[in-house]
Amino acid sequence: MKYVPEPFRIKTVESIKMTTREYRQNAIAEAGYNTFLLKSEDVYIDLLTDSGTNAMSDAQWAALQMGDEAYAGSRNFYDLEAAVQEVYGYRYMVPTHQGRAAEHIMSRLLIKPGDYVPGNMYFTTTRLHQELAGGAFVDCIIDEAHNPYSLHPFKGNFDLAKLERLVREVGPGRIPYVSCATCVNMAGGQPVSMANLRDLRRWTERHGIRLMLDNTRTVENAYFIQQREPGYKDKSIKEIVREICSYTDGCTTSGKKDGLVNIGGFLATNDEEFFTESKAQVVIYEGLHTYGGLAGRDMAAFAVGIRESVATDDYIRYRVEQVNYLGEVLTAASVPHVVPHGGHAIFLDAKAFLPHIPQEQFPAQALASAIYVETGVRAMERGVVSAGRNKDTGENYMPKLELVRLTIPRRVYTQSHLDYAAEGIANVYRLREQVRGLRFVYEPKQLRFFQARFEKIK
Ligand code: F0G
């Protein structure tokens, strides 16, 4: 098991609380068996998400002091715009407070009621904004993505035959854009290959359909291309990132992941008219187009983070290999999880982990609770609770993948934190028959996983 040593040293530390099992039993019951409702203070190792949980560098903290908090025309906006142009290569950029705000603006502008938006698997906020704009998401990812044990090296790839079928059924006029995510989150952080992107580009051009990127984890995706795809091992991460973006017409981005910040996002495009319309929308929902809901200092740290993420290949190698290390330790303990290991997280297979709990009783939700009680580690459900209900029929979506995500914040935890987490999870696996299913006591209408409450089934 290889652990790539950290390409940084620690300058500031933050204490974290050690708690007892009894304390945690009470805490999770009070949180309605939903790890989103736990107090962060009651968590020992927080693997809920890699979103906004990054540790910033000394250069980023220094940049905060250089915030220009002018309402209009902040210098940090121009610097962020330059970083986006340099690293991702898009001509125009509209800042937003985070990724879903960019998704909101893009969906409102591009989708008409009755439209279809094909994508490589859904993401929660992305699909919701498509639906709120009157569109319907259509899953066009390859079948292997739905199989947690398929060893396909690029399980994020599109199946072009599925796209072709959709265009034949509804016509290209009903498809405003194809939504392509890098390191597909809900598939287990699985990358898309450059060859697939190139094919996708050709296909969208042939049909006169836009190709929009969910650029949230492009740097991590670039590392997999460098490692796995013929012709890329001598290319830098920076070059690969630029090439990925070059096949697309624009993107939405959550800077809270690859961007190495705690808050921030943007919408980018090469299309001047779409840019003008986006600026008109951002002032309604976020703030002036030169800050988009961010403080000047947030934009300053974001610009530094974007450049740092590709400055050398050392950071991203350490980052993705750290995730892989956790996966390898869990493999050695025979704990069932999605393979190949993804870029930002290890995803436990709750159906295989808890075969005695039917999917109607939320096995992944139950497993995330059990892991917290055993270890103080906070994970996230990514299964039937996250999938929600079909907006027309009201039926629960029953995703093939019923997963618990152990998400690794960037530059935050050490090897021994991961060893501790893995050991505790292996213990839960040994005692798995004691874990019981859950039922809803409160179910929000939208994005229910964030605030739902459950009770244990006797
Ligand atoms: N797209 C992807 C692929 C994401 O993973 C996220 C957020 C977003 C868009 C939305 O960005 O949070 O900045 O508004 N994912 C977080 C997660 C919440 O935990 O996976 P946001």
Side-chain angles (χ1 to χ4, degrees):
M1 272 168 258
K2 196 177 74 176
Y3 189 86
V4 172
E6 285 79 2
F8 53 80
R9 57 187 175 187
I10 296 167
K11 182 140 56 176
T12 303
V13 297
E14 180 185 359
S15 296
I16 43 182
K17 191 160 89 183
M18 320 282 280
T19 51
T20 62
R21 164 181 269 275
E22 195 190 359
Y23 182 95
R24 295 191 293 268
Q25 258 159 352
N26 285 330
I28 195 73
E30 256 173 52
Y33 299 94
N34 185 347
T35 53
F36 277 102
L37 301 179
L38 285 169
K39 289 184 183 145
S40 154
E41 277 184 348
D42 292 341
V43 172
Y44 175 47
I45 297 175
D46 204 348
L47 307 185
L48 183 75
T49 176
D50 63 328
S51 182
T53 53
N54 303 309
M56 293 207 297
S57 67
D58 49 0
Q60 287 178 291
W61 282 104
L64 289 183
Q65 288 289 345
M66 302 305 288
D68 169 0
E69 306 303 343
Y71 189 90
S74 162
R75 70 167 165 258
N76 310 119
F77 164 76
Y78 295 104
D79 188 33
L80 179 60
E81 185 184 49
V84 168
Q85 289 166 343
E86 251 165 71
V87 173
Y88 304 117
Y90 297 111
R91 221 166 293 152
Y92 308 110
M93 186 276 297
V94 178
T96 58
H97 80 281
Q98 58 184 77
R100 70 196 70 179
E103 293 171 347
H104 175 212
I105 292 170
M106 179 172 78
S107 302
R108 286 182 68 89
L109 287 175
L110 299 183
I111 300 172
K112 295 184 304 298
D115 279 353
Y116 296 86
V117 187
N120 47 349
M121 204 173 268
Y122 85 99
F123 184 71
T124 54
T125 59
T126 317
R127 184 180 66 194
L128 179 62
H129 281 298
Q130 292 164 356
E131 290 177 350
L132 290 172
F137 166 80
V138 183
D139 191 9
C140 292
I141 202 165
I142 57 172
D143 289 342
E144 286 88 339
H146 295 282
N147 172 358
Y149 304 106
S150 159
L151 287 172
H152 193 294
F154 291 103
K155 279 161 95 172
N157 280 355
F158 273 85
D159 182 339
L160 269 76
K162 291 182 186 171
L163 284 170
E164 199 55 51
R165 216 171 304 142
L166 178 69
V167 94
R168 244 182 286 128
E169 273 168 28
V170 307
R174 295 263 68 153
I175 306 175
Y177 61 96
V178 173
S179 170
C180 174
T182 38
C183 271
V184 178
N185 197 348
M186 303 302 276
Q190 303 294 329
V192 52
S193 73
M194 201 71 95
N196 191 251
L197 274 166
R198 245 180 260 124
D199 290 345
L200 186 62
R201 181 63 186 172
R202 244 175 269 130
W203 187 89
T204 53
E205 269 175 357
R206 182 146 50 84
H207 292 286
I209 297 171
R210 286 176 202 255
L211 176 52
M212 301 304 284
L213 187 68
D214 182 335
N215 180 41
T216 297
R217 295 186 181 84
T218 300
V219 181
E220 288 165 3
N221 199 119
Y223 179 72
F224 287 116
I225 289 175
Q226 189 188 54
Q227 298 303 305
R228 295 179 186 170
E229 195 160 352
Y232 286 92
K233 78 174 184 346
D234 296 323
K235 291 227 157 78
S236 69
I237 292 297
K238 195 169 185 174
E239 289 170 307
I240 299 171
V241 165
R242 271 301 279 265
E243 186 178 341
I244 292 172
C245 296
S246 75
Y247 298 126
T248 69
D249 296 297
C251 74
T252 54
T253 302
S254 170
K256 301 169 73 173
K257 287 81 167 174
D258 273 356
L260 293 170
V261 282
N262 305 119
I263 196 72
F266 62 83
L267 183 99
T269 173
N270 295 322
D271 173 341
E272 193 176 349
E273 195 184 322
F274 178 51
F275 173 56
T276 304
E277 289 170 354
S278 301
K279 281 192 289 185
Q281 292 289 312
V282 83
V283 293
I284 306 172
Y285 295 106
E286 295 282 290
L288 194 70
H289 60 280
T290 57
Y291 75 86
L294 295 170
R297 58 178 170 273
D298 298 330
M299 294 190 285
F302 192 6
V304 176
I306 287 172
R307 293 189 177 108
E308 258 175 27
S309 72
V310 298
T312 69
D313 296 359
D314 297 338
Y315 153 70
I316 197 64
R317 180 181 312 113
Y318 142 79
R319 158 54 178 175
V320 177
E321 294 301 338
Q322 188 189 40
V323 174
N324 185 48
Y325 174 82
L326 175 62
E328 294 295 328
V329 180
L330 290 169
T331 302
S334 305
V335 175
H337 61 275
V338 176
V339 285
H341 301 141
H344 66 302
I346 294 300
F347 291 72
L348 303 177
D349 178 2
K351 283 185 186 170
F353 200 118
L354 301 173
H356 58 288
I357 302 183
Q359 200 170 11
E360 293 73 24
Q361 296 180 12
F362 315 121
Q365 190 77 30
L367 180 55
S369 295
I371 288 170
Y372 171 71
V373 171
E374 175 70 24
T375 63
V377 171
R378 170 155 68 171
M380 184 194 289
E381 192 265 5
R382 293 275 83 156
V384 59
V385 180
S386 294
R389 292 180 187 273
N390 181 301
K391 74 174 164 51
D392 299 321
T393 67
E395 293 291 308
N396 278 316
Y397 287 113
M398 284 292 178
K400 286 211 181 97
L401 298 178
E402 178 71 21
L403 308 176
V404 169
R405 189 180 73 174
L406 305 165
T407 340
I408 314 297
R410 294 169 187 77
R411 308 190 291 203
V412 172
Y413 292 115
T414 63
Q415 182 176 4
S416 46
H417 285 122
L418 299 188
D419 286 337
Y420 168 87
E423 202 177 298
I425 290 164
N427 255 339
V428 178
Y429 189 55
R430 273 190 287 279
L431 302 171
R432 58 191 176 273
E433 271 146 38
Q434 296 172 13
V435 180
R436 291 208 306 276
L438 300 170
R439 67 171 148 250
F440 275 117
V441 292
Y442 166 61
E443 181 187 351
K445 277 209 176 61
Q446 284 159 352
L447 301 178
R448 63 184 184 183
F449 55 95
F450 284 129
Q451 288 149 359
R453 301 185 67 85
F454 302 84
E455 65 185 7
K456 276 192 187 174
I457 295 173
K458 298 254 158 54

